[in-house]
Amino acid sequence: MHEVIGALLGGEGSVTIDMWHSFWDCLHEGGGPDRCERAVAMLASLIMCVPDKASVGALVASLDARREHPPEQDAVNIVGTGGGPRTFNMSTAAAFLAAAIGVRVVKSGARAYTSRLGSIDVLELLGVPLVRSHEATADALDRHGIAFAGSFVYPPELTVLAKSILPVEMKTLGRFFNSSGPFLAAVPARCQVTGVSDPSMLPLLQHLAENHCRRTVWLCSNGLGVDELVSFDENVIHRDDGSATRLDPSLLGLSPGSLADLRPAGGGDEAVRQFTALLCGDGPTAAVESICLNAASLAVASGLEPDWGEALREARCALDGGRPLALLERLRSPELVASA
């Protein structure tokens, strides 16, 4: 353990794959009486200074080597890094809408770190069950065209790490793992659209996308720091081949708006009412159009519809027709709705 912490804090040399393996082995074995202190020190060092690309690449590679990977599905994942201005859960709404226009979607996510509600929190309130195995994922895709992945897609080492630092919570120290989470999940998707809130993380995430990811990756950013595409500000899509595309919403016929239009509702019933209303197209224009834009990105990224304008029109037509809300109703579990 001390080798990893020393390299991260000292800045002399990169953390190698073997060093990460040794760190994980120590966690699994108990790591001695100072395991908690060393685990906390490692997490704190990742917050204090973003490590070099080689160290993070070795981290991802070490976790990949310690688990089996599922067969690839002809599907796309949408997931953000978290952080940035607080908005309603746009990526989850876009996942429903994209599936409603025929995109096969595997959605990964987590509970809230910086926002009021993360995607898993929202799904829990809606009464939508998570899939808990790769077999269940494939079945959900075949039946509904969408699957919401549970925690099984993440490396078990992260659970061990979280238990190692108790009573300190990962929500306090796990910011780096939350922002790099899109590259840690073994999601059986062919491509992934990831919103990035912090532009300083882009070089590192681009390195991971190009060298340590089994999927085609789009990294999306904008000047507002929202970790999804927004309909009222220029977005940049960074592809894993090194190219970048600027997406000007005004050229797509989208309306002006502001961050206030994306503001989340309160918890519980308010969040459910806001989310279901938006799936009917009922809400601020900028919120509705941002959902459509993100759903369109999944259609384009997956190859289902290569033209952005046509993908947007299909998304808006599906929203106006209530198709994503109908999909939500098919997915809801009566038992989960009753307990929410």
Side-chain angles (χ1 to χ4, degrees):
M1 280 189 174
H2 68 276
E3 290 181 323
V4 169
I5 299 167
L8 291 174
L9 291 176
E12 296 180 4
S14 299
V15 184
T16 66
I17 294 179
D18 288 342
M19 290 164 67
W20 280 117
H21 276 306
S22 177
F23 182 87
W24 303 128
D25 288 342
C26 284
L27 282 183
H28 279 287
E29 293 166 5
D34 59 350
R35 178 179 67 160
C36 177
E37 290 81 359
R38 292 186 176 183
V40 168
M42 188 276 287
L43 289 169
S45 67
L46 292 173
I47 293 175
M48 291 166 56
C49 181
V50 175
D52 62 284
K53 295 176 182 177
S55 294
V56 179
L59 164 63
V60 173
S62 73
L63 293 171
D64 269 350
R66 301 171 75 92
R67 63 182 176 184
E68 293 185 4
H69 288 266
E72 182 183 276
Q73 296 283 344
D74 183 18
V76 61
N77 180 27
I78 179 171
V79 58
T81 60
R86 291 191 174 188
T87 68
F88 69 92
N89 203 278
M90 205 183 312
S91 63
T92 303
F96 278 106
L97 179 53
I101 63 174
V103 182
R104 285 164 59 90
V105 180
V106 180
K107 174 78 175 80
S108 64
R111 294 195 180 275
Y113 269 72
T114 57
S115 61
R116 180 178 286 121
L117 295 170
S119 61
I120 290 181
D121 302 307
V122 169
L123 292 168
E124 190 174 81
L125 288 171
L126 292 168
V128 175
L130 306 177
V131 294
R132 303 193 180 280
S133 69
H134 293 303
E135 293 76 16
T137 301
D139 180 63
L141 281 172
D142 290 339
R143 293 173 60 194
H144 303 293
I146 191 169
F148 294 97
S151 60
F152 76 95
V153 297
Y154 292 98
E157 282 72 19
L158 297 188
T159 300
V160 177
L161 180 60
K163 291 179 179 178
S164 298
I165 65 172
L166 290 174
V168 181
E169 296 183 354
M170 280 291 281
K171 190 170 184 177
T172 304
L173 288 177
R175 188 170 68 232
F176 176 82
F177 281 99
N178 188 56
S179 61
S180 59
F183 296 93
L184 301 179
V187 178
R190 186 167 54 84
C191 54
Q192 176 172 301
V193 176
T194 293
V196 182
S197 61
D198 182 357
S200 70
M201 289 289 291
L202 273 170
L204 176 58
L205 297 180
Q206 284 180 285
H207 173 77
L208 294 179
E210 294 170 12
N211 299 283
H212 297 280
C213 192
R214 299 166 186 258
R215 302 176 289 281
T216 298
V217 177
W218 286 9
L219 297 174
C220 305
S221 63
N222 50 71
L224 300 173
V226 179
D227 69 338
E228 287 99 2
L229 299 174
V230 292
S231 63
F232 49 87
D233 192 63
E234 183 178 76
N235 304 279
V236 182
I237 298 173
H238 308 266
R239 293 179 172 83
D240 53 14
D241 61 2
S243 65
T245 300
R246 294 189 177 276
L247 198 63
D248 186 344
S250 65
L251 298 180
L252 294 171
L254 298 174
S255 307
S258 70
L259 286 175
D261 297 317
L262 308 182
R263 186 177 297 125
D269 291 345
E270 289 183 35
V272 170
R273 283 195 294 270
Q274 180 189 44
F275 193 88
T276 53
L278 287 167
L279 287 191
C280 297
D282 182 11
T285 299
V288 172
E289 290 187 345
S290 290
I291 295 172
C292 291
L293 184 60
N294 282 278
S297 75
L298 300 189
V300 175
S302 68
L304 180 69
E305 176 51 72
D307 182 76
W308 279 91
E310 184 59 31
L312 267 171
R313 284 188 288 274
E314 289 183 18
R316 187 60 203 241
C317 181
L319 201 67
D320 291 341
R323 285 154 56 189
L325 184 61
L327 174 59
L328 167 62
E329 293 301 331
R330 292 197 298 273
L331 291 173
R332 298 178 87 184
S333 163
E335 293 80 9
L336 291 178
V337 172
S339 63

